[in-house]
Amino acid sequence: MQLRYSRVRLEAKLFNGKLASCEVELLPGANLILTDSNTQGKSTLVNALAVGLGLDDLVKGNVAALVKDTLRVAQGDQRIVEAAILLEIANASNELLTIRRSVKPELSRGMLVRRGPLSQWSEAGLEEYYLGPGSYTDTRGFHRLLSEFIGFPEVQVISQDDGVMRLYLEYIFSAIFIEQKRGWADIMANMPYYRVRDPKKSTIAELLGL
């Protein structure tokens, strides 16, 4: 299993009709995001990496930071009419997948996907997938597509009611995605509750290949 973020773009359509955007290239290895003061968008950028893949439970209340009502530009504050996250990700074969998710006027459950780099994004060749019940099992479920793209197997674990269930990507990401407000409180502090018994043990065992 391998997933690498290569580009992230945040787009906002303003009330004055203009499009504001910020695009960041993420190189292989460590990437340092540094600003000279607070409230410059570091957390927004990092949270977009999770929300852009439909992993909302990892950031929970911090999703609101992605959908502010206004954006400060040279002419002053402008109302945001529409906003979206675009992510370019790569797998172990260096294949590229670009994903677009609308976050305003509402946090969309639909995901637009195009196979190829972000630089070639266009309406042609778009595929639409969705989040929610069946996201891991239905042919149009986004997390099924993502799991297949990055090579994440269907790992079976024990549920709280002694049944068998799947280990979801949200558990894997909770072990490697450290969100600044709650992420330092504990190992896997942002872990969601999806009825897995001993979720930390199951997740760490999968990450270590045990």
Side-chain angles (χ1 to χ4, degrees), residues 155-167 194-198 202:
V155 180
Q156 298 294 318
V157 293
I158 304 300
S159 66
Q160 294 284 2
D161 56 4
D162 295 324
V164 176
M165 63 178 294
R166 178 175 189 148
L167 185 69
Y194 294 153
R195 300 187 304 105
V196 172
R197 178 182 293 178
D198 297 324
S202 297

Side-chain angles (χ1 to χ4, degrees), residues 24-176:
V24 177
E25 180 182 10
L26 300 171
L27 301 175
N31 288 263
L32 177 64
I33 302 172
L34 183 66
T35 62
D36 60 1
S37 61
N38 292 326
T39 67
Q40 298 297 303
K42 298 185 297 296
S43 295
T44 298
L45 183 65
V46 171
N47 288 341
L49 300 179
V51 177
L53 293 182
L55 306 173
D56 305 358
D57 284 342
L58 298 184
V59 297
K60 295 187 177 177
N62 291 334
V63 173
L66 298 170
V67 289
K68 291 183 177 179
D69 292 330
T70 61
L71 179 69
R72 180 160 296 176
V73 295
Q75 297 78 19
D77 289 351
Q78 287 286 332
R79 184 160 65 88
I80 298 174
V81 179
E82 298 175 4
I85 300 167
L86 289 96
L87 294 179
E88 178 188 286
I89 60 174
N91 60 16
S93 301
N94 286 321
E95 297 171 315
L96 296 177
L97 196 70
T98 301
I99 303 136
R100 185 183 191 277
R101 185 182 187 188
S102 175
V103 294
K104 191 177 181 67
E106 62 182 9
L107 192 61
S108 175
R109 309 307 292 176
M111 312 285 276
L112 295 177
V113 174
R114 192 176 192 278
R115 299 176 189 275
L118 176 57
S119 61
Q120 296 179 8
W121 180 264
S122 71
E123 298 296 321
L126 288 182
E127 303 171 36
E128 188 168 3
Y129 294 83
Y130 71 90
L131 301 169
S135 181
Y136 281 90
T137 55
D138 291 354
T139 56
R140 283 295 169 184
F142 175 74
H143 287 128
R144 174 173 172 172
L145 168 74
L146 180 61
S147 297
E148 292 173 350
F149 180 74
I150 66 176
F152 178 56
E154 186 172 344
V155 180
Q156 298 294 318
V157 293
I158 304 300
S159 66
Q160 294 284 2
D161 56 4
D162 295 324
V164 176
M165 63 178 294
R166 178 175 189 148
L167 185 69
Y168 297 112
L169 279 170
E170 284 86 345
Y171 284 111
I172 301 298
F173 271 77
S174 71
I176 58 179

